[in-house]
Amino acid sequence: MRHCIICLQQLDLFQGLERDQFTNLCQCTNRKRLSRGHYLFRQGEATSTIYLIKSGKLKLVQTAEDGHETILDVCGPGEVLGELSFYQEQNEHSSAIAMEEVCICCFSKLQFEGLIKQDPSFALRIIGYLGQKRYETMLKSGKESGLPVKERLLQLFYRLAEQYGQERPTSTLIDLKITQQELADMIGSSRVMVIQALKEFQAANIIDREKRYFVLKNDPCTSIHTFE
C-alpha cells in the first residue's frame, strides 16, 4: 500500500491530495502484468478504467479500415492511459500493446468520481492534465507534419532519447527495444524508407546500434543536420 501511495504522489495529476485520499484510492487498486505483445485494451473497446504505468512500455496502435497500422505514441512509467473515460463514454480510439513486460495499476472511473466529490479541485487537475496532453500531441504533430522521412525519423529519435534516454559521455542509449517496422509505423512511412534513412544516419555517425537498442550520438551538429 505504501509503495502504491508513493507511486501516485510522484504524478502531477495527484499533487495536493490528502493522505487519506491516496489511501482510499489505493485500497481498490488492481495491479496487472502484461508480457510483450499482450494487449492492455483494444481499439473499439468500451472502457471505464484508468491505467497508471508503473514499469515497462506500451505502444498505442491505431488501425485504419484498410488494416494499415499507425503507432500513435509509446508510453512508459508514470504515464496514464484510458483518461478519456474521465469525462465521456466512448470506445478506445487505439490499442495499447506491451513492448516489454509491463506492470500497471488500474483504477475505476467511480474511484475518480468519488475523489472529485470529496475535492472539486481534483476535477480542475484532470482538465489541466488532459489539456496538456492534447497540446503536446498537437505540438508534436505540427512539428513533424510535412517533413521528409529522414527528418521525421530524426525528430522521433530526439523525442525517444528525451523520454527513455540513458546518458553516456558521448552518446545517449534509447532504452526501448523497437523494430524498424515500428519506427516506420510511428512516422507514417515504409520500412524500406526507414532502413535507407538508418543507413545514412549510421554512415553520418548520428545513430548506432547496440544489440536491439538505438544509440543517438552527442554531435552538436546533429540538431541542424539536413539531408538531401
Side-chain angles (χ1 to χ4, degrees):
M1 173 73 70
R2 175 175 172 78
H3 181 71
C4 184
I5 290 175
I6 293 174
C7 183
L8 292 180
Q9 287 176 328
Q10 293 173 346
L11 300 180
D12 292 340
L13 181 61
F14 300 102
Q15 293 297 313
L17 292 184
E18 300 294 335
R19 184 173 181 84
D20 60 339
Q21 291 175 314
F22 278 116
T23 302
N24 292 336
L25 185 60
C26 292
Q27 281 178 342
C28 300
T29 298
N30 294 318
R31 293 188 180 183
K32 180 178 294 189
R33 287 188 178 274
L34 297 176
S35 300
R36 177 180 170 85
H38 285 218
Y39 284 74
L40 176 61
F41 52 77
R42 294 177 183 269
Q43 183 174 332
E45 288 183 349
T47 180
S48 59
T49 305
I50 296 95
Y51 305 98
L52 166 63
I53 304 173
K54 295 191 67 179
S55 63
K57 303 176 188 71
L58 299 101
K59 58 182 178 181
L60 300 182
V61 180
Q62 190 173 70
T63 305
E65 292 183 1
D66 62 1
H68 177 74
E69 293 186 346
T70 300
I71 298 179
L72 303 178
D73 204 355
V74 174
C75 302
E79 296 194 65
V80 177
L81 299 177
E83 68 277 2
L84 289 179
S85 61
F86 278 139
Y87 65 99
Q88 62 185 9
E89 296 291 339
Q90 72 172 44
N91 297 337
E92 291 293 343
H93 72 291
S94 62
S95 301
I97 308 171
M99 302 181 72
E100 57 193 38
E101 184 171 307
V102 180
C103 180
I104 297 166
C105 286
C106 308
F107 308 91
S108 72
K109 179 182 176 182
L110 291 176
Q111 286 177 278
F112 282 89
E113 289 177 346
L115 278 177
I116 291 172
K117 290 178 181 178
Q118 296 176 31
D119 181 3
S121 66
F122 186 59
L124 295 177
R125 284 197 289 277
I126 291 175
I127 293 171
Y129 173 81
L130 294 175
Q132 181 64 25
K133 284 195 71 173
R134 180 172 178 81
Y135 171 76
E136 290 172 355
T137 300
M138 292 174 63
L139 190 63
K140 177 179 68 177
S141 300
K143 282 183 176 180
E144 298 175 4
S145 61
L147 292 176
V149 169
K150 296 169 191 174
E151 299 288 353
R152 296 205 305 272
L153 184 58
L154 193 56
Q155 290 294 334
L156 174 61
F157 279 127
Y158 291 154
R159 193 167 71 248
L160 294 178
E162 184 177 351
Q163 289 179 285
Y164 308 114
Q166 295 182 358
E167 296 292 337
R168 295 175 170 184
T170 60
S171 63
T172 301
L173 183 141
I174 300 174
D175 185 19
L176 180 68
K177 294 179 181 178
I178 190 166
T179 67
Q180 294 169 339
Q181 184 60 58
E182 287 172 330
L183 290 173
D185 291 341
M186 291 186 75
I187 65 172
S189 181
S190 67
R191 182 170 177 267
V192 173
M193 294 289 287
V194 165
I195 290 174
Q196 181 59 39
L198 289 173
K199 288 180 180 178
E200 293 190 35
F201 289 166
Q202 288 180 303
N205 200 34
I206 296 172
I207 292 289
D208 202 355
R209 290 295 299 269
E210 287 189 13
K211 297 182 179 179
R212 296 179 63 186
Y213 298 98
F214 286 96
V215 178
L216 182 63
K217 298 299 185 65
N218 293 348
D219 182 352
C221 298
T222 298
S223 59
I224 58 173
H225 197 99
T226 57
F227 301 90
E228 298 179 358

